[in-house]
Amino acid sequence: MALLRGGTVQDHVALAEIELCGELIIAASAAEDRLSLESIDRVLRVAESRAESARE
């Protein structure tokens, strides 16, 4: 965690999770019906994450 001015703490993992949740909420609100598992994976960039893990 990085300390910012004013003594606040910034948790990069938590911020990334909040961003992904926001993207998921936006996708769900724009959809006419429930999101499919494939749509959720696309919004959460699951394939990109798996590809990154495979390279490591």
Side-chain angles (χ1 to χ4, degrees):
M1 289 189 270
L3 192 60
L4 299 176
R5 271 191 239 147
T8 59
V9 175
Q10 184 174 8
D11 184 339
H12 296 285
V13 174
L15 291 174
E17 289 178 358
I18 291 167
E19 182 180 338
L20 289 174
C21 286
E23 291 176 17
L24 197 54
I25 291 168
I26 291 168
S29 66
E32 293 180 16
D33 203 7
R34 298 179 88 177
L35 291 177
S36 67
L37 293 177
E38 293 81 16
S39 296
I40 293 170
D41 285 350
R42 188 171 45 254
V43 170
L44 298 178
R45 299 184 288 271
V46 172
E48 293 173 24
S49 178
R50 286 184 182 154
E52 246 180 58
S53 294
R55 284 186 290 231
E56 294 176 355

Short mmCIF file of all heavy atoms in Angstrom, two decimals:
data_model
loop_
_atom_site.label_atom_id
_atom_site.label_comp_id
_atom_site.label_asym_id
_atom_site.label_seq_id
_atom_site.Cartn_x
_atom_site.Cartn_y
_atom_site.Cartn_z
N MET A 1 0.83 -1.18 0.00
CA MET A 1 0.00 0.00 0.00
C MET A 1 0.88 1.24 0.00
O MET A 1 1.89 1.28 0.69
CB MET A 1 -0.90 0.01 1.23
CG MET A 1 -1.99 -1.04 1.19
SD MET A 1 -3.18 -0.84 2.50
CE MET A 1 -2.43 -1.83 3.75
N ALA A 2 0.46 2.22 -0.74
CA ALA A 2 1.23 3.46 -0.82
C ALA A 2 0.59 4.53 0.05
O ALA A 2 -0.63 4.69 0.06
CB ALA A 2 1.27 3.93 -2.28
N LEU A 3 1.41 5.26 0.77
CA LEU A 3 0.92 6.34 1.61
C LEU A 3 0.84 7.60 0.77
O LEU A 3 1.80 7.97 0.09
CB LEU A 3 1.87 6.54 2.79
CG LEU A 3 1.39 7.42 3.92
CD1 LEU A 3 0.10 6.83 4.52
CD2 LEU A 3 2.44 7.50 5.01
N LEU A 4 -0.32 8.25 0.80
CA LEU A 4 -0.51 9.49 0.06
C LEU A 4 -0.41 10.68 1.00
O LEU A 4 -0.42 10.53 2.22
CB LEU A 4 -1.88 9.49 -0.62
CG LEU A 4 -2.14 8.37 -1.62
CD1 LEU A 4 -3.57 8.45 -2.13
CD2 LEU A 4 -1.17 8.48 -2.79
N ARG A 5 -0.34 11.88 0.45
CA ARG A 5 -0.32 13.08 1.27
C ARG A 5 -1.55 13.11 2.17
O ARG A 5 -2.62 12.69 1.78
CB ARG A 5 -0.34 14.33 0.38
CG ARG A 5 1.03 14.78 0.00
CD ARG A 5 0.96 16.14 -0.63
NE ARG A 5 1.52 15.99 -1.97
CZ ARG A 5 1.14 16.65 -3.02
NH1 ARG A 5 0.20 17.54 -2.94
NH2 ARG A 5 1.73 16.45 -4.18
N GLY A 6 -1.40 13.62 3.35
CA GLY A 6 -2.52 13.71 4.27
C GLY A 6 -2.71 12.46 5.09
O GLY A 6 -3.67 12.35 5.84
N GLY A 7 -1.83 11.49 4.94
CA GLY A 7 -1.90 10.30 5.76
C GLY A 7 -2.88 9.25 5.30
O GLY A 7 -3.13 8.29 6.01
N THR A 8 -3.46 9.37 4.11
CA THR A 8 -4.39 8.36 3.61
C THR A 8 -3.60 7.22 2.96
O THR A 8 -2.50 7.42 2.46
CB THR A 8 -5.39 8.94 2.59
OG1 THR A 8 -4.66 9.48 1.50
CG2 THR A 8 -6.26 10.01 3.22
N VAL A 9 -4.19 6.06 2.96
CA VAL A 9 -3.55 4.88 2.39
C VAL A 9 -4.29 4.50 1.12
O VAL A 9 -5.51 4.52 1.07
CB VAL A 9 -3.57 3.71 3.40
CG1 VAL A 9 -3.02 2.45 2.77
CG2 VAL A 9 -2.80 4.08 4.65
N GLN A 10 -3.55 4.14 0.10
CA GLN A 10 -4.14 3.74 -1.17
C GLN A 10 -3.83 2.26 -1.40
O GLN A 10 -2.67 1.87 -1.50
CB GLN A 10 -3.59 4.58 -2.31
CG GLN A 10 -4.23 4.29 -3.63
CD GLN A 10 -3.77 5.24 -4.72
OE1 GLN A 10 -2.87 6.02 -4.52
NE2 GLN A 10 -4.39 5.15 -5.86
N ASP A 11 -4.86 1.45 -1.49
CA ASP A 11 -4.72 0.02 -1.71
C ASP A 11 -5.02 -0.26 -3.18
O ASP A 11 -6.17 -0.20 -3.61
CB ASP A 11 -5.69 -0.73 -0.80
CG ASP A 11 -5.54 -2.23 -0.89
OD1 ASP A 11 -5.00 -2.73 -1.90
OD2 ASP A 11 -5.97 -2.91 0.04
N HIS A 12 -3.99 -0.56 -3.95
CA HIS A 12 -4.13 -0.71 -5.40
C HIS A 12 -5.01 -1.91 -5.77
O HIS A 12 -5.75 -1.85 -6.75
CB HIS A 12 -2.76 -0.82 -6.07
CG HIS A 12 -1.95 0.42 -5.90
ND1 HIS A 12 -2.19 1.56 -6.61
CD2 HIS A 12 -0.90 0.70 -5.08
CE1 HIS A 12 -1.34 2.49 -6.25
NE2 HIS A 12 -0.55 2.00 -5.32
N VAL A 13 -4.96 -2.97 -5.00
CA VAL A 13 -5.79 -4.15 -5.27
C VAL A 13 -7.26 -3.79 -5.06
O VAL A 13 -8.12 -4.11 -5.88
CB VAL A 13 -5.37 -5.34 -4.40
CG1 VAL A 13 -6.33 -6.51 -4.57
CG2 VAL A 13 -3.95 -5.76 -4.73
N ALA A 14 -7.55 -3.12 -3.96
CA ALA A 14 -8.93 -2.72 -3.68
C ALA A 14 -9.45 -1.77 -4.75
O ALA A 14 -10.60 -1.88 -5.19
CB ALA A 14 -9.03 -2.08 -2.30
N LEU A 15 -8.62 -0.83 -5.18
CA LEU A 15 -9.04 0.11 -6.22
C LEU A 15 -9.32 -0.62 -7.54
O LEU A 15 -10.28 -0.30 -8.24
CB LEU A 15 -7.98 1.18 -6.43
CG LEU A 15 -7.82 2.18 -5.29
CD1 LEU A 15 -6.64 3.10 -5.56
CD2 LEU A 15 -9.09 2.97 -5.08
N ALA A 16 -8.51 -1.62 -7.88
CA ALA A 16 -8.74 -2.40 -9.10
C ALA A 16 -10.04 -3.18 -9.00
O ALA A 16 -10.81 -3.25 -9.97
CB ALA A 16 -7.57 -3.34 -9.34
N GLU A 17 -10.32 -3.75 -7.83
CA GLU A 17 -11.58 -4.48 -7.63
C GLU A 17 -12.78 -3.57 -7.75
O GLU A 17 -13.79 -3.92 -8.35
CB GLU A 17 -11.57 -5.18 -6.27
CG GLU A 17 -10.62 -6.35 -6.20
CD GLU A 17 -10.58 -7.00 -4.83
OE1 GLU A 17 -11.27 -6.52 -3.90
OE2 GLU A 17 -9.86 -7.99 -4.68
N ILE A 18 -12.67 -2.37 -7.19
CA ILE A 18 -13.77 -1.39 -7.28
C ILE A 18 -14.00 -1.00 -8.73
O ILE A 18 -15.15 -0.89 -9.18
CB ILE A 18 -13.46 -0.16 -6.41
CG1 ILE A 18 -13.51 -0.56 -4.93
CG2 ILE A 18 -14.41 0.99 -6.71
CD1 ILE A 18 -12.93 0.46 -3.98
N GLU A 19 -12.92 -0.80 -9.49
CA GLU A 19 -13.05 -0.45 -10.90
C GLU A 19 -13.75 -1.56 -11.68
O GLU A 19 -14.65 -1.30 -12.49
CB GLU A 19 -11.67 -0.18 -11.50
CG GLU A 19 -11.73 0.24 -12.95
CD GLU A 19 -10.35 0.51 -13.53
OE1 GLU A 19 -9.40 0.77 -12.76
OE2 GLU A 19 -10.22 0.46 -14.76
N LEU A 20 -13.37 -2.82 -11.44
CA LEU A 20 -14.00 -3.94 -12.13
C LEU A 20 -15.48 -4.06 -11.75
O LEU A 20 -16.32 -4.34 -12.61
CB LEU A 20 -13.26 -5.24 -11.83
CG LEU A 20 -11.88 -5.38 -12.47
CD1 LEU A 20 -11.19 -6.64 -11.96
CD2 LEU A 20 -11.98 -5.39 -13.99
N CYS A 21 -15.79 -3.84 -10.48
CA CYS A 21 -17.20 -3.88 -10.05
C CYS A 21 -18.00 -2.80 -10.76
O CYS A 21 -19.13 -3.03 -11.20
CB CYS A 21 -17.31 -3.71 -8.54
SG CYS A 21 -16.81 -5.16 -7.60
N GLY A 22 -17.41 -1.63 -10.88
CA GLY A 22 -18.08 -0.53 -11.58
C GLY A 22 -18.34 -0.88 -13.03
O GLY A 22 -19.44 -0.62 -13.57
N GLU A 23 -17.35 -1.47 -13.69
CA GLU A 23 -17.52 -1.87 -15.09
C GLU A 23 -18.61 -2.93 -15.23
O GLU A 23 -19.38 -2.92 -16.18
CB GLU A 23 -16.20 -2.36 -15.66
CG GLU A 23 -15.18 -1.25 -15.82
CD GLU A 23 -13.83 -1.74 -16.30
OE1 GLU A 23 -13.74 -2.86 -16.82
OE2 GLU A 23 -12.86 -0.98 -16.16
N LEU A 24 -18.66 -3.83 -14.27
CA LEU A 24 -19.69 -4.88 -14.28
C LEU A 24 -21.08 -4.28 -14.08
O LEU A 24 -22.04 -4.67 -14.75
CB LEU A 24 -19.38 -5.91 -13.20
CG LEU A 24 -20.05 -7.25 -13.29
CD1 LEU A 24 -19.86 -7.92 -14.64
CD2 LEU A 24 -19.55 -8.16 -12.18
N ILE A 25 -21.20 -3.32 -13.19
CA ILE A 25 -22.48 -2.65 -12.95
C ILE A 25 -22.93 -1.90 -14.20
O ILE A 25 -24.10 -1.95 -14.58
CB ILE A 25 -22.37 -1.70 -11.74
CG1 ILE A 25 -22.23 -2.51 -10.46
CG2 ILE A 25 -23.57 -0.76 -11.66
CD1 ILE A 25 -21.83 -1.70 -9.24
N ILE A 26 -22.01 -1.22 -14.86
CA ILE A 26 -22.34 -0.50 -16.10
C ILE A 26 -22.82 -1.46 -17.17
O ILE A 26 -23.83 -1.22 -17.84
CB ILE A 26 -21.13 0.33 -16.58
CG1 ILE A 26 -20.87 1.48 -15.61
CG2 ILE A 26 -21.36 0.85 -18.00
CD1 ILE A 26 -19.54 2.18 -15.82
N ALA A 27 -22.10 -2.58 -17.33
CA ALA A 27 -22.49 -3.57 -18.34
C ALA A 27 -23.86 -4.16 -18.02
O ALA A 27 -24.69 -4.34 -18.92
CB ALA A 27 -21.45 -4.68 -18.42
N ALA A 28 -24.12 -4.44 -16.75
CA ALA A 28 -25.41 -5.02 -16.35
C ALA A 28 -26.54 -4.03 -16.58
O ALA A 28 -27.63 -4.41 -17.02
CB ALA A 28 -25.36 -5.45 -14.89
N SER A 29 -26.30 -2.77 -16.30
CA SER A 29 -27.36 -1.78 -16.47
C SER A 29 -27.65 -1.51 -17.95
O SER A 29 -28.76 -1.12 -18.31
CB SER A 29 -27.01 -0.47 -15.76
OG SER A 29 -25.90 0.14 -16.34
N ALA A 30 -26.66 -1.72 -18.82
CA ALA A 30 -26.86 -1.49 -20.25
C ALA A 30 -27.47 -2.71 -20.95
O ALA A 30 -27.99 -2.58 -22.06
CB ALA A 30 -25.52 -1.15 -20.90
N ALA A 31 -27.42 -3.85 -20.29
CA ALA A 31 -27.93 -5.08 -20.91
C ALA A 31 -29.45 -5.13 -20.85
O ALA A 31 -30.07 -4.63 -19.91
CB ALA A 31 -27.34 -6.30 -20.20
N GLU A 32 -30.04 -5.74 -21.86
CA GLU A 32 -31.49 -5.90 -21.89
C GLU A 32 -31.94 -7.05 -21.01
O GLU A 32 -33.06 -7.06 -20.52
CB GLU A 32 -31.95 -6.14 -23.33
CG GLU A 32 -31.75 -4.93 -24.22
CD GLU A 32 -32.23 -5.19 -25.64
OE1 GLU A 32 -32.98 -6.15 -25.87
OE2 GLU A 32 -31.84 -4.40 -26.51
N ASP A 33 -31.07 -8.04 -20.81
CA ASP A 33 -31.37 -9.22 -20.02
C ASP A 33 -30.20 -9.48 -19.09
O ASP A 33 -29.24 -8.70 -19.06
CB ASP A 33 -31.61 -10.41 -20.96
CG ASP A 33 -32.45 -11.51 -20.33
OD1 ASP A 33 -32.97 -11.31 -19.22
OD2 ASP A 33 -32.57 -12.58 -20.96
N ARG A 34 -30.24 -10.58 -18.39
CA ARG A 34 -29.13 -10.94 -17.51
C ARG A 34 -27.86 -11.14 -18.32
O ARG A 34 -27.91 -11.59 -19.47
CB ARG A 34 -29.45 -12.23 -16.77
CG ARG A 34 -30.65 -12.12 -15.87
CD ARG A 34 -30.93 -13.41 -15.20
NE ARG A 34 -30.14 -13.42 -13.97
CZ ARG A 34 -30.17 -14.38 -13.09
NH1 ARG A 34 -30.89 -15.45 -13.29
NH2 ARG A 34 -29.43 -14.31 -12.00
N LEU A 35 -26.73 -10.80 -17.74
CA LEU A 35 -25.46 -11.02 -18.42
C LEU A 35 -25.12 -12.50 -18.43
O LEU A 35 -25.27 -13.18 -17.42
CB LEU A 35 -24.34 -10.26 -17.72
CG LEU A 35 -24.37 -8.74 -17.79
CD1 LEU A 35 -23.22 -8.16 -16.97
CD2 LEU A 35 -24.29 -8.25 -19.22
N SER A 36 -24.65 -12.98 -19.55
CA SER A 36 -24.20 -14.37 -19.64
C SER A 36 -22.84 -14.48 -18.96
O SER A 36 -22.15 -13.48 -18.72
CB SER A 36 -24.07 -14.80 -21.10
OG SER A 36 -23.02 -14.08 -21.72
N LEU A 37 -22.44 -15.70 -18.65
CA LEU A 37 -21.12 -15.90 -18.05
C LEU A 37 -20.02 -15.41 -18.97
O LEU A 37 -19.03 -14.85 -18.52
CB LEU A 37 -20.92 -17.38 -17.70
CG LEU A 37 -21.82 -17.92 -16.58
CD1 LEU A 37 -21.56 -19.42 -16.39
CD2 LEU A 37 -21.60 -17.17 -15.30
N GLU A 38 -20.21 -15.60 -20.27
CA GLU A 38 -19.22 -15.12 -21.24
C GLU A 38 -19.12 -13.60 -21.22
O GLU A 38 -18.03 -13.04 -21.31
CB GLU A 38 -19.57 -15.61 -22.66
CG GLU A 38 -19.46 -17.10 -22.85
CD GLU A 38 -20.69 -17.87 -22.34
OE1 GLU A 38 -21.76 -17.27 -22.10
OE2 GLU A 38 -20.57 -19.09 -22.17
N SER A 39 -20.27 -12.93 -21.10
CA SER A 39 -20.27 -11.47 -21.03
C SER A 39 -19.57 -10.98 -19.78
O SER A 39 -18.79 -10.02 -19.81
CB SER A 39 -21.70 -10.93 -21.04
OG SER A 39 -22.34 -11.24 -22.24
N ILE A 40 -19.82 -11.63 -18.66
CA ILE A 40 -19.18 -11.26 -17.40
C ILE A 40 -17.67 -11.46 -17.51
O ILE A 40 -16.90 -10.57 -17.12
CB ILE A 40 -19.76 -12.09 -16.23
CG1 ILE A 40 -21.22 -11.69 -16.00
CG2 ILE A 40 -18.93 -11.89 -14.96
CD1 ILE A 40 -21.97 -12.59 -15.04
N ASP A 41 -17.25 -12.59 -18.07
CA ASP A 41 -15.81 -12.84 -18.27
C ASP A 41 -15.18 -11.77 -19.15
O ASP A 41 -14.06 -11.33 -18.88
CB ASP A 41 -15.58 -14.22 -18.88
CG ASP A 41 -15.77 -15.35 -17.89
OD1 ASP A 41 -15.91 -15.09 -16.67
OD2 ASP A 41 -15.77 -16.52 -18.34
N ARG A 42 -15.89 -11.34 -20.18
CA ARG A 42 -15.37 -10.32 -21.09
C ARG A 42 -15.21 -8.99 -20.35
O ARG A 42 -14.18 -8.32 -20.46
CB ARG A 42 -16.29 -10.17 -22.31
CG ARG A 42 -15.74 -9.28 -23.39
CD ARG A 42 -16.57 -9.31 -24.68
NE ARG A 42 -18.01 -9.22 -24.48
CZ ARG A 42 -18.86 -10.24 -24.62
NH1 ARG A 42 -18.41 -11.42 -24.98
NH2 ARG A 42 -20.16 -10.08 -24.43
N VAL A 43 -16.22 -8.61 -19.56
CA VAL A 43 -16.16 -7.36 -18.81
C VAL A 43 -15.02 -7.39 -17.79
O VAL A 43 -14.29 -6.41 -17.62
CB VAL A 43 -17.51 -7.08 -18.09
CG1 VAL A 43 -17.39 -5.92 -17.12
CG2 VAL A 43 -18.61 -6.81 -19.11
N LEU A 44 -14.85 -8.53 -17.14
CA LEU A 44 -13.81 -8.66 -16.12
C LEU A 44 -12.44 -9.00 -16.68
O LEU A 44 -11.48 -9.15 -15.94
CB LEU A 44 -14.22 -9.72 -15.09
CG LEU A 44 -15.49 -9.42 -14.30
CD1 LEU A 44 -15.80 -10.56 -13.36
CD2 LEU A 44 -15.37 -8.10 -13.55
N ARG A 45 -12.36 -9.12 -18.01
CA ARG A 45 -11.11 -9.40 -18.72
C ARG A 45 -10.44 -10.68 -18.22
O ARG A 45 -9.23 -10.72 -17.98
CB ARG A 45 -10.17 -8.20 -18.62
CG ARG A 45 -10.74 -6.94 -19.25
CD ARG A 45 -9.79 -5.79 -19.24
NE ARG A 45 -9.52 -5.18 -17.96
CZ ARG A 45 -10.22 -4.18 -17.43
NH1 ARG A 45 -11.24 -3.68 -18.08
NH2 ARG A 45 -9.88 -3.67 -16.27
N VAL A 46 -11.24 -11.72 -18.07
CA VAL A 46 -10.74 -13.01 -17.56
C VAL A 46 -9.72 -13.61 -18.52
O VAL A 46 -8.67 -14.10 -18.09
CB VAL A 46 -11.92 -13.98 -17.30
CG1 VAL A 46 -11.42 -15.38 -16.98
CG2 VAL A 46 -12.80 -13.44 -16.20
N ALA A 47 -9.99 -13.57 -19.81
CA ALA A 47 -9.07 -14.16 -20.79
C ALA A 47 -7.72 -13.45 -20.75
O ALA A 47 -6.67 -14.11 -20.81
CB ALA A 47 -9.66 -14.10 -22.19
N GLU A 48 -7.73 -12.13 -20.62
CA GLU A 48 -6.47 -11.37 -20.54
C GLU A 48 -5.68 -11.77 -19.30
O GLU A 48 -4.47 -11.93 -19.35
CB GLU A 48 -6.76 -9.87 -20.50
CG GLU A 48 -7.34 -9.32 -21.78
CD GLU A 48 -7.75 -7.86 -21.62
OE1 GLU A 48 -7.21 -7.16 -20.75
OE2 GLU A 48 -8.64 -7.42 -22.38
N SER A 49 -6.38 -11.93 -18.20
CA SER A 49 -5.73 -12.31 -16.95
C SER A 49 -5.11 -13.71 -17.05
O SER A 49 -4.00 -13.94 -16.58
CB SER A 49 -6.75 -12.28 -15.81
OG SER A 49 -6.17 -12.68 -14.62
N ARG A 50 -5.83 -14.63 -17.67
CA ARG A 50 -5.30 -15.99 -17.85
C ARG A 50 -4.07 -15.98 -18.75
O ARG A 50 -3.10 -16.69 -18.50
CB ARG A 50 -6.38 -16.89 -18.41
CG ARG A 50 -7.42 -17.26 -17.41
CD ARG A 50 -8.43 -18.23 -17.97
NE ARG A 50 -9.43 -18.51 -16.99
CZ ARG A 50 -10.66 -18.90 -17.27
NH1 ARG A 50 -11.03 -19.06 -18.52
NH2 ARG A 50 -11.53 -19.14 -16.30
N ALA A 51 -4.10 -15.18 -19.81
CA ALA A 51 -2.97 -15.10 -20.72
C ALA A 51 -1.75 -14.52 -20.01
O ALA A 51 -0.63 -14.99 -20.21
CB ALA A 51 -3.33 -14.24 -21.94
N GLU A 52 -1.98 -13.51 -19.16
CA GLU A 52 -0.89 -12.92 -18.40
C GLU A 52 -0.28 -13.94 -17.45
O GLU A 52 0.94 -14.04 -17.33
CB GLU A 52 -1.43 -11.73 -17.58
CG GLU A 52 -0.89 -10.41 -18.02
CD GLU A 52 -1.46 -9.29 -17.16
OE1 GLU A 52 -1.30 -9.32 -15.93
OE2 GLU A 52 -2.09 -8.42 -17.75
N SER A 53 -1.12 -14.70 -16.77
CA SER A 53 -0.64 -15.72 -15.82
C SER A 53 0.15 -16.80 -16.54
O SER A 53 1.14 -17.32 -16.01
CB SER A 53 -1.82 -16.35 -15.09
OG SER A 53 -2.45 -15.41 -14.27
N ALA A 54 -0.26 -17.16 -17.75
CA ALA A 54 0.43 -18.19 -18.50
C ALA A 54 1.83 -17.74 -18.92
O ALA A 54 2.75 -18.55 -19.02
CB ALA A 54 -0.39 -18.58 -19.73
N ARG A 55 1.99 -16.45 -19.17
CA ARG A 55 3.31 -15.92 -19.57
C ARG A 55 4.28 -15.89 -18.41
O ARG A 55 5.48 -15.91 -18.60
CB ARG A 55 3.16 -14.52 -20.14
CG ARG A 55 2.60 -14.51 -21.55
CD ARG A 55 2.63 -13.10 -22.07
NE ARG A 55 1.63 -12.33 -21.33
CZ ARG A 55 0.70 -11.57 -21.89
NH1 ARG A 55 0.65 -11.43 -23.17
NH2 ARG A 55 -0.17 -10.92 -21.17
N GLU A 56 3.77 -15.82 -17.20
CA GLU A 56 4.65 -15.72 -16.02
C GLU A 56 5.16 -17.04 -15.65
O GLU A 56 5.64 -17.89 -15.71
CB GLU A 56 3.88 -15.14 -14.83
CG GLU A 56 3.49 -13.70 -15.08
CD GLU A 56 2.62 -13.16 -13.94
OE1 GLU A 56 2.26 -13.91 -13.02
OE2 GLU A 56 2.32 -11.98 -13.99
#
